[in-house]
């Protein structure tokens, strides 16, 4: 029979199942699921992929876009061809429906995962259909890899061994099974119109195609798609495909994956809080449209002072690049969850100002369940918002689409809420507008499952890397590889920073342009062309590698408009822990210095921020100030904010800080915030005075950017809730006091506990620079880049002493070691990939993949109990500990909001006594929690090996260690 006859009723056998539901006894033919996936892939080609992505795939196949669309549908349809094998025997009920002839022809076949079976079977079938089969990079092998990679990993293919025609006939059934696989493939090819054969399949095209096949398979696998047509109804493949093409439009529409166009708005309408663009923003608006229209996609670097509006600059640059390049959407990459939450609020406002047809905006990080924009439905098992692990589904059954999308919310928020399907697991990055921690994007450059899906998600929109200076050498190395791939895909990129060393900035440009096909050696020879003016911007296009920078007169004007002078006072202080709460610090101690600095606030008013090196130091500082300073209005004038509070407490504290110290207030008469480095990145706040423990000069400049941040704006127009600064602060001007830990001879003596905050060289060098003449008063942003370069230059400054020079060498060696360790897990550059399986040589899960040079934290949860009572989540006994067996999403959210992150070593000694209820072990967000049982009648720390942990309602988690002699 020919393909026409095979497509009719009674043509191809439909007894082989592809989907099975034991609960309802539903059996769906594998051929129909293959055709469903092919139809959805065609619809995604039209509505999910952007013009540059379609062009990249078509160019990678050397075919027209119309022909490429057909081939993409064809390969997507073949993804489950491996189920025409012993896979059929996995479900006895469904296996019983298989014909006697096929059962008799099964032979001594070998059981293997169906995605690998698909890849093995397709090598020979595609070769018979005219696809070249000559090696790992030949079209037949690449296409087989794409189909076999639909579960997130590219399998290894030995075309002369296990993937040879002879072995396939032995391992996957006899002649009848081989014939059915070929006829199924021929039918899919006929119905999709994929008669043309590609000359080649590039690596980048293969990765994008794989990502598209994965999305199509997941959408077509939703039970609501196939259940109504289960049980092999009486119609053939051609009739079913006609229905599937109609169904695909509805499925993609409901998934909210289609891209929208934001309406064109004037600058002040898109950013209603601003009266006009600043000179740098105006320069971007004037120059970038012309550059992007003439040269296409590229990388833009924006180096500007803190508080100068870099986020708004990025939004405008992304809009311009998207318009010129054909990409659609935005992905913000942030270094921490707190900064991601802040930018999420900004992007919400930006989208609301445009009022488009409903736009999908997702927040993607490990703690996004704390954000109020995410409804309880997303916490149900199998629908978790963050890209933190492998999809728990062992097969493709996925019911997420049956859940409500927005928890019943309505109004203007409906425009920017995440959809139920998009926000699940690693799918959240597919949304057109995304705010995420940088880790989620970096995993696209690591050999983890679904890395192709992440690359597809990132490549179709403008990628903004915010706070690039905050990345360690380890993370920065992964970012360089990701930029290399984005350059090869002609994805527009915007990098933002206030304190990025010049050499680091150039490395980012080199990696992007090298990915676009330019020789790195030639780029390095032109390094002066790729130096970003400070403050200013640079744009280098992928096509010609030509750089354009902000005009000099505009840069001068912008620097003058942002100029403010900050006094940095280095205050020697002896470091000593509080130990005993009632102890009064001696003169010259760190705690006494802090009390003296903020004491006038309690008497005369003002808003001060104290940034401590560690959480323990912040807790000591809070307790000391609370006890030895007088607070006229009560304890609400003193606020402690650090990362080891339960999530709901931290979220509430951060919201208070952003509101009361934000640009619109209302601002309190007096407030002292004791915190850690949590507040130094991307938080738009203004402090009257600031006290900081010694840290790197780059971080000190970041913190200084929070001093009098809105002074110029408030001089022009002071909001109703903002009173003038107290006169005693006006007289002093903006001042940053840096607590310099010293020995008895006034030399720098860093506490052991500070070793994890920064490399000692950075702290010693910063302290040394601040003692030199001319560095006590710095003008921002003019002096910022010069000071950063002094610290981070590869050569030694003339004033460096012998010990400081030795620390400098150790710092460089530590960075090289981090880069080397990071290199061991990177996927190869796109132009060094022979077999697609090279992208998954290491079998890493997303949970194992390291994007930072330290291990992943564990989360602990306090439970409170009295004899004869059920355990609760709070000491007051109002919130019972949910124990199941059926956990409601609201209860799961409550549990998660009471957890606290800690270093994994602190919880390494947890035993069965510290495990949650049995029902928690099946939930991906609860299974790994460590319970800290608190006895309310006998309060004491919970002992986990040598670590003692106790959660205090007022100061958060308290950590102690048992002395060696007491163990």
């Amino acid at each position: 029979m020919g393909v026409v006859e095979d497509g009719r009723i009674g043509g191809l056998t439909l007894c082989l199942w592809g989907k099975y539901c034991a609960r309802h006894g539903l059996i769906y033919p594998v051929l129909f699921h293959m055709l469903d996936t092919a139809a959805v892939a065609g619809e995604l080609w039209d509505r999910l992929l952007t013009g540059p992505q379609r062009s990249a795939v078509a160019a990678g196949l050397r075919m027209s876009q119309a022909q490429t669309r057909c081939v993409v549908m064809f390969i997507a349809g073949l993804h489950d061809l491996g189920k025409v094998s012993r896979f059929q025997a996995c479900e006895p009920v469904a296996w019983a429906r298989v014909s006697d002839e096929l059962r008799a022809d099964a032979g001594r076949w070998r059981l293997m995962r169906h995605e690998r079976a698909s890849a093995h079977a397709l090598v020979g079938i595609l070769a018979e259909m005219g696809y070249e089969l000559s090696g790992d990079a030949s079209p037949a092998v690449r296409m087989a890899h794409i189909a076999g990679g639909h579960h997130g990993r590219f399998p290894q293919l030995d075309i002369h061994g296990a993937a040879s025609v002879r072995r396939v006939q032995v391992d996957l059934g006899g002649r009848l099974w081989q014939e059915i696989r070929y006829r199924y493939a021929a039918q899919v090819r006929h119905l999709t119109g994929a008669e043309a054969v590609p000359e080649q399949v590039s690596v980048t095209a293969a990765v994008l195609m794989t990502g598209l096949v994965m999305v199509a398979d997941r959408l077509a696998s939703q039970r609501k798609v196939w259940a109504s047509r289960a049980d092999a109804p009486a119609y053939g493949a051609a009739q079913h495909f006609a229905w599937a093409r109609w169904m695909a439009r509805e499925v993609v529409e409901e998934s909210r994956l289609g891209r929208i166009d934001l309406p064109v708005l004037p600058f002040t309408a898109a950013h209603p809080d601003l009266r006009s663009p600043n000179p740098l923003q105006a320069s971007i608006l004037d120059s970038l449209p012309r550059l992007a229209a003439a040269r296409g996609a590229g990388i833009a670097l924006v180096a500007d002072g803190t508080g100068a509006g870099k986020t708004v600059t990025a939004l405008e640059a992304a809009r311009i690049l998207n318009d010129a390049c054909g990409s659609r959407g935005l992905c913000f990459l942030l270094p921490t969850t707190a900064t991601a939450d802040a930018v999420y609020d900004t992007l919400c406002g930006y989208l609301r100002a445009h009022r488009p047809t409903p736009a999908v905006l997702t927040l993607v990080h490990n703690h996004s369940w704390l954000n109020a924009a995410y409804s309880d439905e997303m916490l149900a098992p199998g629908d978790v918002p963050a890209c933190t692990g492998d999809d728990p589904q062992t097969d493709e059954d996925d019911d997420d689409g049956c859940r409500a999308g927005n928890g019943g919310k309505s109004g203007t928020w409906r425009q920017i809420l995440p959809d139920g399907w998009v926000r699940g697991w690693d799918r959240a990055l597919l949304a057109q507008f995304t705010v995420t921690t940088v880790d989620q994007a970096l995993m696209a450059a690591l050999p983890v499952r679904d890395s192709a899906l992440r690359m597809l998600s990132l490549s179709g929109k403008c990628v903004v890397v915010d706070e690039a200076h905050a990345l360690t050498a380890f993370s920065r190395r992964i970012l360089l590889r990701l930029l290399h791939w984005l350059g090869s895909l002609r994805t527009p990129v915007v990098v933002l920073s206030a304190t990025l060393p010049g050499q680091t900035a150039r490395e980012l440009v080199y990696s992007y342009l090298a990915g676009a096909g330019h020789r790195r050696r030639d780029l390095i020879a032109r390094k002066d062309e790729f130096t970003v003016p400070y403050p200013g911007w640079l744009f280098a296009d992928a096509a010609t590698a030509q750089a354009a920078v902000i005009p000099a007169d505009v840069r001068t004007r912008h620097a003058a408009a942002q100029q403010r002078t900050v006094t940095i006072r280095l205050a020697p202080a002896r470091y000593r822990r509080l130990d005993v709460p009632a102890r009064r610090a001696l003169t010259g101690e760190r705690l006494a210095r802090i009390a003296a600095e903020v004491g006038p606030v309690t008497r005369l008013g003002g808003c001060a921020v104290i940034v401590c090196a560690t959480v323990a130091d912040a807790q000591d500082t809070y307790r000391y100030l609370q006890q030895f300073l007088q607070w006229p209005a009560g304890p609400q004038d003193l606020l402690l904010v650090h990362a080891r509070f339960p999530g709901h407490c931290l979220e509430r504290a951060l919201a208070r800080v952003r509101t009361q110290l934000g640009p619109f207030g209302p601002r309190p008469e007096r407030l002292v915030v004791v915190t850690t480095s949590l507040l130094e990145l991307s938080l738009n706040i203004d402090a009257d005075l600031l006290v900081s423990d010694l840290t790197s000069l780059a971080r000190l400049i970041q913190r200084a950017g929070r001093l009098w941040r809105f002074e110029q704006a408030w001089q022009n127009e002071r909001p109703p809730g903002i009173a003038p600064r107290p006169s005693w602060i006006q007289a002093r001007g903006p001042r940053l006091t840096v607590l310099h830990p010293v020995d008895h001879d006034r030399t720098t003596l860093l506490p052991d506990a500070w070793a994890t905050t920064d490399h000692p060289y950075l702290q010693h060098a910063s302290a040394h620079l601040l003692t030199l003449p001319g560095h006590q008063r710095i003008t921002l942003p003019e002096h910022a880049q010069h000071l950063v370069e002094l610290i981070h230059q590869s050569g030694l400054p003339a004033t460096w002493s012998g010990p400081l020079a030795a620390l400098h060498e150790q710092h460089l060696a530590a960075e090289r070691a981090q880069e080397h360790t990071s290199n061991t897990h990177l996927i190869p550059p796109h132009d060094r990939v022979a077999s697609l399986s090279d992208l998954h040589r290491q079998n890493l899960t997303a949970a194992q993949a390291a994007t930072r040079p330290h291990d992943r934290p564990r989360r602990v949860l306090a439970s409170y109990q009295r004899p004869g009572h059920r355990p609760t989540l709070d000491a007051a006994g109002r919130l019972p500990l949910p124990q199941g067996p059926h956990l409601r999403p609201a209860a799961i959210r409550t549990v998660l909001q009471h957890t606290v992150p800690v270093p994994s070593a602190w919880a390494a000694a947890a035993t069965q006594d510290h495990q949650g209820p049995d029902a928690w072990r099946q939930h991906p967000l609860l299974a790994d929690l460590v319970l800290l049982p608190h006895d309310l009648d006998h309060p004491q720390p919970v002992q986990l090996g040598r670590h003692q942990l106790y959660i205090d309602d007022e100061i958060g988690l308290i950590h102690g260690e048992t002395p060696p002699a007491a163990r």
Side-chain angles (χ1 to χ4, degrees), residues 251-264:
V251 169
V252 174
E253 177 68 28
E254 289 180 356
S255 73
R256 305 281 295 282
L257 288 175
R259 285 356 192 182
I260 64 168
D261 291 316
L262 296 179
V264 178

Side-chain angles (χ1 to χ4, degrees), residues 111-293:
L111 180 63
M112 68 176 69
R113 293 185 62 89
H114 76 269
E115 62 269 28
R116 179 178 292 276
S118 294
H120 284 194
L122 281 174
V123 172
I125 290 175
L126 291 175
E128 286 188 57
M129 292 181 173
Y131 285 69
E132 180 188 350
L133 175 59
S134 58
D136 288 338
S138 60
V141 178
R142 286 270 167 90
M143 290 300 189
H145 261 132
I146 293 168
H150 73 271
H151 274 307
R153 295 188 187 278
F154 292 113
Q156 294 190 22
L157 290 180
D158 182 359
I159 61 176
H160 302 295
S164 66
V165 174
R166 180 183 59 82
R167 282 286 300 275
V168 167
Q169 290 176 347
V170 172
D171 293 342
L172 301 182
R175 180 187 58 80
L176 292 179
W177 290 91
Q178 180 71 3
E179 179 184 348
I180 288 179
R181 284 193 292 268
Y182 185 88
R183 290 171 64 189
Y184 274 11
Q187 186 63 215
V188 175
R189 187 186 194 191
H190 169 69
L191 292 176
T192 57
E195 300 301 327
V197 175
E199 300 178 19
Q200 65 170 32
V201 181
S202 69
V203 173
T204 51
V207 168
L208 293 183
M209 284 180 64
T210 304
L212 186 68
V213 171
M214 293 169 64
V215 179
D217 178 38
R218 296 185 185 192
L219 285 174
S221 294
Q222 299 174 98
R223 188 171 289 116
K224 67 178 182 179
V225 172
W226 59 265
S228 62
R229 295 222 161 192
D231 291 322
Y235 47 80
Q239 185 179 354
H240 178 83
F241 188 64
W243 170 85
R245 295 178 67 178
W246 171 85
M247 172 274 303
R249 291 191 289 271
E250 182 178 340
V251 169
V252 174
E253 177 68 28
E254 289 180 356
S255 73
R256 305 281 295 282
L257 288 175
R259 285 356 192 182
I260 64 168
D261 291 316
L262 296 179
V264 178
L265 291 182
F267 181 87
T268 53
H271 312 283
D273 296 333
L274 301 178
R275 287 187 168 185
S276 61
N278 62 35
L280 188 149
Q281 292 164 350
S283 175
I284 288 277
L285 293 170
D286 178 63
S287 302
L288 193 56
R290 171 176 44 82
L291 293 170

Side-chain angles (χ1 to χ4, degrees), residues 416-437:
I416 55 175
L417 282 174
D419 177 82
W421 191 87
V422 174
R423 69 185 176 203
W425 290 100
D426 47 8
R427 303 187 297 255
L429 287 176
L430 285 167
Q432 185 171 356
F433 301 97
T434 304
V435 178
T436 176
T437 48

Side-chain angles (χ1 to χ4, degrees), residues 227-454:
S228 62
R229 295 222 161 192
D231 291 322
Y235 47 80
Q239 185 179 354
H240 178 83
F241 188 64
W243 170 85
R245 295 178 67 178
W246 171 85
M247 172 274 303
R249 291 191 289 271
E250 182 178 340
V251 169
V252 174
E253 177 68 28
E254 289 180 356
S255 73
R256 305 281 295 282
L257 288 175
R259 285 356 192 182
I260 64 168
D261 291 316
L262 296 179
V264 178
L265 291 182
F267 181 87
T268 53
H271 312 283
D273 296 333
L274 301 178
R275 287 187 168 185
S276 61
N278 62 35
L280 188 149
Q281 292 164 350
S283 175
I284 288 277
L285 293 170
D286 178 63
S287 302
L288 193 56
R290 171 176 44 82
L291 293 170
R295 304 181 188 175
I299 182 171
L301 272 71
V302 178
D304 202 0
T306 56
K310 291 189 295 296
T311 302
V312 172
T313 305
L315 290 172
E316 290 302 311
R319 176 186 59 79
I320 293 169
L321 291 172
N322 282 336
D323 289 345
C325 307
S327 51
R328 301 165 80 185
L330 189 64
C331 183
F332 258 94
L333 310 183
L334 283 303
T336 66
T337 58
T339 55
D341 288 340
V343 172
Y344 177 83
D345 293 341
T346 301
L347 197 51
C348 281
Y350 180 74
L351 292 178
R352 281 201 301 270
H354 285 78
R355 298 190 182 279
T357 54
V360 178
L361 170 62
T362 55
L363 177 66
V364 191
H365 60 66
N366 288 344
H367 307 152
S368 53
W369 34 263
L370 284 174
N371 193 288
Y374 279 74
S375 59
D376 287 335
E377 280 81 355
M378 71 185 310
L379 298 175
D383 192 16
V384 181
C387 306
T388 56
D390 284 348
D391 194 324
Q393 303 290 341
T394 57
D395 201 278
E396 304 89 317
D397 280 351
D398 186 351
D399 293 331
D400 293 347
C402 299
R403 298 191 179 99
N406 297 289
K409 298 184 179 182
S410 59
T412 56
W413 284 96
R414 181 69 177 87
Q415 297 178 353
I416 55 175
L417 282 174
D419 177 82
W421 191 87
V422 174
R423 69 185 176 203
W425 290 100
D426 47 8
R427 303 187 297 255
L429 287 176
L430 285 167
Q432 185 171 356
F433 301 97
T434 304
V435 178
T436 176
T437 48
V438 68
D439 310 71
Q440 306 296 339
L442 294 184
M443 280 193 281
L446 295 174
V448 299
R449 183 181 177 190
D450 298 340
S451 56
L453 184 61
R454 286 187 170 90

Side-chain angles (χ1 to χ4, degrees), residues 747-770:
T747 60
T748 303
L749 179 64
L750 298 178
D752 293 339
W754 292 13
T756 58
T757 60
D758 269 318
H759 192 276
Y761 161 74
L762 299 176
Q763 299 174 72
H764 280 272
S766 299
H768 175 73
L769 272 182
L770 292 176

Side-chain angles (χ1 to χ4, degrees), residues 699-713:
R699 284 188 167 188
L700 291 176
I701 292 172
Q702 288 286 337
R703 294 170 186 179
R706 273 69 191 167
L707 276 169
W708 294 36
R709 188 181 183 99
F710 310 132
E711 183 65 17
Q712 293 180 341

